[in-house]
């Protein structure tokens, strides 16, 4: 594609019956100038990037229709409803089953050694006809559309194979020819294929449950504040800036900022974390989260498609519809599969006519066409992706696309930014070290009084500690701030300084250099407090390590990854944090602009490299990594930029994402293996006469169901904090 401006749309597709259909539509769209399309058989969608100057949406839909299928615009935030598909599949199967059941008596008699028909041939003809042309009408329609579009799909195989068996049997009945009739085989094949379609439709619906459940979470109405009081309005009518009220037990209708009230909110649908989150004025709330007890008044900040929930749904839908590199082989095979099978069936027919009988030639050629339907091949990758990515979303891990999912499982090295990932990201007072004869309350009170005039993060940490201790300091006099050193002023009538040891010591006091070095080596920032030539003591401040960090590092090592920490702090602080987290390797003194270069150097040492950051100031490093993990707490920036967004600020989620990635890719490989082996073994067996059309139909139906069922086993996976899966899922 050129460098012209591009747009993207998602099309909902109708009429696909197998992987060959998806391949056909994809090729048709990609032939258009300025178009790049990816078609997903399991989700029945096409993600299309195109250049508006060369082609428009109407042309895209027209191309799909010309290929024999139908398409319309689809909003990713609205999952496709499989109800109609399930209803149609159930109706067709039940009609076929009712008329096929009596014919199974004939089949049982044949297997029992009886050669004369148990049911009159005219009755068999009457029973088989509605199965062939009513229940089986969908195969004729699909085959006609496919052939008209210049391709061949599964419907061609089923329609061709069963029509040959039915027509041959009808000729035997009407012309009283001396051959066996195969009405039961044609009807049973159609019935079994329809059963497979029914089970397939139900399984696809289950695989997309994660997306559907997310879409159903947002409330339909909101209580909006108006001059006349609270009014209930549809959530779609809210605009940015509206003031709405969330009552206890109600869901939050849109994203907003709390302007009044205090409560706790259940955000488990976003983060997977079961504990409620406290909310007060100034805090953010998100659509579809649930207010626990207090009344909250909020101002809307994100509505409609601009809520975090809508962004998550779009991202999950796009990821489920993307293609993993491992699927490329399946796509290449599907492109030539049906024509190759028809050729093999023709060769089988000719060979059996030459060396056997017309009857054997017919039966074996039909069996080849039925056994070879490539549904399992088309479902192998997308169903595993749908389940895996959906399961990750429900666990608070958003994976951008299938490429990121596959790469995450192959990572050799994982680099952590220190601040905000391994640590809390905000400094807090760890210790108070008063001088002899000075109490902790006095030390903290003097420092807090002076720091009330500062907005520095260290000042905020001191004031928070003072508030927690119940200290209410007054305002200082003559306040001044010296950048990079500290603050000075008059507290209780005495000259006071708070800041670096060198700055405070200018008041003429003595300090213990060895003791200060011990504090620094422990990774703590030393804030000295001096007043009227006397050292009152030290306040030690550090960015506390997350309590989950050591467990996260242990899990990553168990998964075989090399873990490295990158920090802009000096070496002593970086070493202390790395030691506390259980990390042996670290890079200290790395400026923000140097983090990307560090990631590239790690890649040069071998293997794929992942980077874990906060999703905003670490953006260059995240982009430089093979997989970027953003612990952004679900912010829009994180969702839009990272390969993997961790909705909860818990480094263990990185290990969860990697473990689920490996399990999903393992499922894909298992599915592809079984699908290929099934066809590789099934076609020769049918060609040499060891597989009847009925058994071929049953095997074909069961193969698709087994692939989808194997993918659904991923639902048994659980994040580590909720207990590991029992491992009986094939991984």
């Amino acid at each position: 594609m050129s460098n012209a401006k591009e747009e993207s749309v998602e099309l909902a597709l109708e009429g696909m019956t197998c992987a060959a259909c998806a391949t056909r539509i994809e090729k048709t769209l990609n032939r258009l100038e300025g178009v790049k399309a990816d078609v997903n058989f399991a989700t029945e969608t096409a993600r299309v990037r195109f250049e508006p100057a060369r082609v428009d949406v109407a042309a895209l839909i027209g191309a799909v229709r010309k290929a024999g299928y139908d398409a319309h615009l689809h909003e990713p935030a609205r999952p496709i409803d499989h109800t109609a598909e399930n209803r149609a599949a159930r109706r067709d199967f039940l009609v076929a089953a009712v008329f096929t059941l009596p014919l199974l008596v004939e089949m049982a008699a044949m297997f029992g050694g009886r050669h004369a028909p148990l049911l009159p041939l005219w009755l068999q003809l009457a029973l088989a006809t509605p199965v062939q042309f009513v229940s089986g009408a969908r195969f004729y329609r699909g085959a006609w559309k496919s052939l008209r579009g210049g391709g061949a799909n599964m419907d061609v195989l089923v329609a061709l194979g069963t029509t040959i068996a039915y027509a041959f049997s009808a000729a035997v009945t009407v012309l009283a020819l001396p051959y066996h009739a195969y009405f039961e085989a044609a009807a049973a094949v159609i019935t079994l294929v329809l059963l497979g379609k029914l089970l397939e439709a139900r399984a696809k619906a289950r695989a997309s449950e994660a997306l559907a459940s997310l879409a159903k979470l947002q409330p339909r109405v909101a209580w909006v504040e108006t001059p006349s009081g609270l009014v209930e309005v549809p959530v779609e009518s809210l605009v940015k800036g509206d003031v709405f009220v969330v009552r206890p037990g109600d869901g939050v209708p849109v994203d907003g900022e709390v302007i009044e009230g205090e409560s706790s909110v259940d955000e488990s649908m976003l983060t997977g974390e079961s504990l409620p989150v406290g909310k007060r004025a100034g805090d953010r709330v998100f659509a579809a989260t649930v207010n626990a007890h207090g009344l909250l008044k909020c101002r809307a900040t994100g509505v409609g498609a601009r809520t975090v929930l809508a962004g998550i749904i779009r991202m999950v839908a796009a990821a489920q519809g993307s293609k993993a590199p491992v699927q490329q082989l399946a796509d290449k095979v599907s492109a030539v599969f049906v024509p190759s099978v028809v050729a093999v069936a023709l060769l089988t027919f000719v060979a059996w006519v030459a060396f056997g009988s017309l009857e054997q030639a017919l039966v074996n050629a039909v069996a080849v066409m039925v056994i070879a339907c490539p549904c399992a091949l088309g479902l192998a990758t997308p169903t595993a992706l749908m389940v895996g990515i959906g399961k990750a979303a429900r666990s608070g891990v958003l994976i951008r696309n299938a490429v990121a999912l596959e790469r995450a499982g192959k990572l050799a090295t994982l680099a952590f930014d220190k601040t905000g990932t391994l640590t809390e990201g905000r400094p807090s007072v760890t210790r108070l070290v008063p001088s002899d004869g000075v109490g902790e309350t006095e030390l903290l009170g003097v420092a807090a009084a002076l720091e009330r005039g500062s907005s520095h993060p260290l000042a905020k940490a001191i004031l928070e500690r003072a508030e927690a201790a119940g200290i209410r300091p007054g305002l200082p006099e003559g306040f001044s701030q010296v950048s990079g050193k500290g603050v000075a002023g008059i507290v209780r009538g005495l000259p006071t300084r708070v800041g670096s040891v060198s700055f405070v010591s200018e008041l003429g006091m003595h300090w213990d250099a060895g003791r200060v070095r011990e504090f620094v080596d422990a990774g703590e920032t030393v804030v000295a407090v001096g007043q009227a030539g006397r050292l009152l003591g030290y306040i030690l401040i550090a960015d506390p390590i997350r309590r989950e960090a050591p467990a996260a590092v242990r899990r990553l090592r168990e998964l075989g990854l090399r873990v490295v920490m990158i920090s802009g702090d000096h070496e002593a602080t970086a070493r202390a944090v790395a030691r506390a987290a259980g990390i042996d390797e670290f890079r200290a003194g790395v400026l923000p602009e140097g983090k990307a270069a560090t990631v590239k150097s790690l890649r040069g040492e071998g293997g794929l490299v992942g980077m874990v950051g906060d999703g905003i100031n670490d953006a260059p490093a995240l982009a430089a990594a093979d997989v970027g993990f953003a612990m952004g707490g679900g912010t829009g920036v994180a969702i839009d930029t990272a390969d993997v967004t961790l909705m909860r600020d818990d480094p263990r989620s990185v290990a969860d994402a990697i473990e689920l990635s490996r399990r999903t890719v393992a499922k894909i490989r298992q599915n592809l293996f079984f699908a290929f082996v099934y066809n590789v073994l099934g076609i020769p067996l049918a060609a040499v006469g060891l597989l009847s059309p009925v058994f071929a139909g049953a095997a074909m139906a069961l193969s698709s169901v087994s692939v989808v069922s194997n993918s659904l086993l991923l639902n048994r996976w659980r994040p580590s904090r909720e207990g590991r899966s029992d491992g009986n899922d094939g991984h």
Side-chain angles (χ1 to χ4, degrees), residues 47 177 271 299 337 362 463 527 651 661 709 723-724 729:
R47 295 177 63 238
L177 299 176
T271 66
R299 180 176 289 106
F337 193 77
L362 173 71
L463 290 170
V527 176
S661 164
S709 299
R724 293 179 182 272
D729 65 352

Side-chain angles (χ1 to χ4, degrees), residues 52-216:
R54 299 186 180 188
V55 67
D56 57 14
V57 175
L60 298 175
I61 294 175
V64 174
R65 289 174 177 167
K66 188 176 180 182
Y69 306 90
D70 199 4
H72 58 270
L73 277 176
H74 172 58
E75 170 54 49
R78 289 185 170 272
I80 293 175
D81 187 358
H82 293 275
T83 305
E85 180 185 357
N86 282 334
R87 189 182 298 117
R90 183 169 61 251
R91 181 195 64 231
D92 291 342
F93 168 70
L94 289 176
V95 170
V98 167
F99 287 97
T100 301
L101 192 59
L103 292 172
L104 296 181
V105 176
E106 183 69 26
M107 187 182 300
M110 180 183 68
F111 286 141
R114 182 185 176 94
H115 298 290
L118 191 63
L119 297 177
L121 289 180
W122 62 266
L123 179 57
Q124 293 186 40
L125 175 62
L127 291 169
T129 299
V131 177
Q132 188 70 39
F133 299 109
V134 178
S135 295
R138 62 188 297 167
F139 300 115
Y140 288 107
R141 288 194 299 268
W144 165 245
K145 289 179 180 179
S146 178
L147 293 171
R148 187 185 64 186
N153 62 3
M154 185 203 80
D155 291 330
V156 173
L157 297 179
V158 175
L160 185 59
T162 58
T163 300
I164 292 173
Y166 175 86
F168 177 81
S169 302
V172 168
T173 301
V174 174
L175 303 177
L177 299 176
Y179 296 110
H180 180 79
Y182 289 93
F183 288 119
E184 77 286 345
V189 165
I190 289 176
T191 303
L192 287 168
V193 173
L194 290 175
L195 173 60
K197 287 291 178 188
L198 175 59
L199 296 175
E200 208 174 276
R202 290 181 177 177
K204 284 195 291 185
R206 281 189 62 195
S208 60
E209 277 177 0
L211 203 56
S213 62
L214 283 174
K216 293 176 182 176

Side-chain angles (χ1 to χ4, degrees), residues 578-609:
R579 187 188 308 119
I583 298 175
D584 298 326
E585 293 185 67
F586 65 91
R587 306 287 190 274
V590 181
L591 298 176
E593 56 269 25
K595 291 179 181 178
T598 303
V599 169
K600 291 177 181 177
S601 70
L602 289 173
R603 186 190 290 114
E605 296 173 20
L608 299 183
V609 176

Side-chain angles (χ1 to χ4, degrees), residues 412-437:
T413 301
L414 195 65
F416 277 93
D417 176 56
K418 179 184 75 69
T419 304
T421 53
L422 293 172
T423 67
E424 296 286 352
R426 54 180 179 80
S428 62
V429 175
T430 55
R431 286 190 288 167
L432 299 172
V433 186
S435 300
D436 293 339

Side-chain angles (χ1 to χ4, degrees), residues 96-423:
V98 167
F99 287 97
T100 301
L101 192 59
L103 292 172
L104 296 181
V105 176
E106 183 69 26
M107 187 182 300
M110 180 183 68
F111 286 141
R114 182 185 176 94
H115 298 290
L118 191 63
L119 297 177
L121 289 180
W122 62 266
L123 179 57
Q124 293 186 40
L125 175 62
L127 291 169
T129 299
V131 177
Q132 188 70 39
F133 299 109
V134 178
S135 295
R138 62 188 297 167
F139 300 115
Y140 288 107
R141 288 194 299 268
W144 165 245
K145 289 179 180 179
S146 178
L147 293 171
R148 187 185 64 186
N153 62 3
M154 185 203 80
D155 291 330
V156 173
L157 297 179
V158 175
L160 185 59
T162 58
T163 300
I164 292 173
Y166 175 86
F168 177 81
S169 302
V172 168
T173 301
V174 174
L175 303 177
L177 299 176
Y179 296 110
H180 180 79
Y182 289 93
F183 288 119
E184 77 286 345
V189 165
I190 289 176
T191 303
L192 287 168
V193 173
L194 290 175
L195 173 60
K197 287 291 178 188
L198 175 59
L199 296 175
E200 208 174 276
R202 290 181 177 177
K204 284 195 291 185
R206 281 189 62 195
S208 60
E209 277 177 0
L211 203 56
S213 62
L214 283 174
K216 293 176 182 176
L217 289 172
Q218 188 170 19
R220 301 297 180 194
V221 297
W223 289 94
V224 176
E225 190 176 68
T226 67
S228 58
L230 290 179
V231 178
E232 188 179 48
V233 300
V235 71
E236 293 83 4
S237 67
L238 286 179
V239 297
K240 187 175 180 180
D242 280 349
V243 175
F244 60 91
V245 171
V246 187
R247 302 172 303 180
D250 284 354
V252 179
V254 296
D255 290 0
E257 180 181 351
V258 178
I259 56 177
E260 188 178 314
E262 189 169 340
S263 183
S264 57
V265 175
D266 179 1
E267 296 185 344
S268 58
M269 51 72 57
L270 278 180
T271 66
E273 186 59 64
S274 57
L275 294 177
V277 180
K279 299 291 182 182
R280 60 177 63 181
D283 290 337
R284 295 181 65 195
V285 291
F286 303 99
T289 57
V290 179
N291 185 22
H293 51 81
L295 191 71
L296 293 176
K297 183 185 290 187
C298 311
R299 180 176 289 106
T301 57
V303 299
R306 297 187 178 275
T307 64
V308 169
L309 176 66
I312 291 173
I313 292 173
R314 284 194 299 272
M315 181 175 175
V316 174
Q320 288 182 335
S322 61
K323 287 187 178 181
V326 73
Q327 192 180 353
Q328 293 174 355
L329 178 59
D331 288 346
K332 291 178 181 178
V333 171
S334 297
V336 297
F337 193 77
V338 175
S340 301
V341 169
V342 173
V344 172
L346 183 60
L347 288 174
T348 299
F349 181 82
V350 171
W352 277 99
V353 167
F355 301 102
S357 66
L358 176 63
E359 189 173 354
Q360 289 173 310
L362 173 71
V363 171
N364 295 337
V366 169
V368 167
M369 285 186 281
V370 172
I371 192 69
C373 293
C375 289
L377 199 60
L379 292 168
T381 298
T383 52
L385 286 176
M386 289 170 68
V387 177
I389 290 173
K391 183 67 179 177
R394 291 199 301 271
S395 301
V397 177
L398 301 183
I399 301 173
R400 173 164 291 279
N401 52 43
V403 175
L405 182 138
E406 186 169 340
R407 281 183 178 174
K410 297 178 179 178
L411 291 176
T413 301
L414 195 65
F416 277 93
D417 176 56
K418 179 184 75 69
T419 304
T421 53
L422 293 172
T423 67

Side-chain angles (χ1 to χ4, degrees), residues 644-657:
V644 180
T645 300
L646 311 176
M647 299 299 290
R648 66 164 67 87
D649 286 333
D650 185 342
R652 291 177 297 179
S653 296
V654 180
D656 290 340

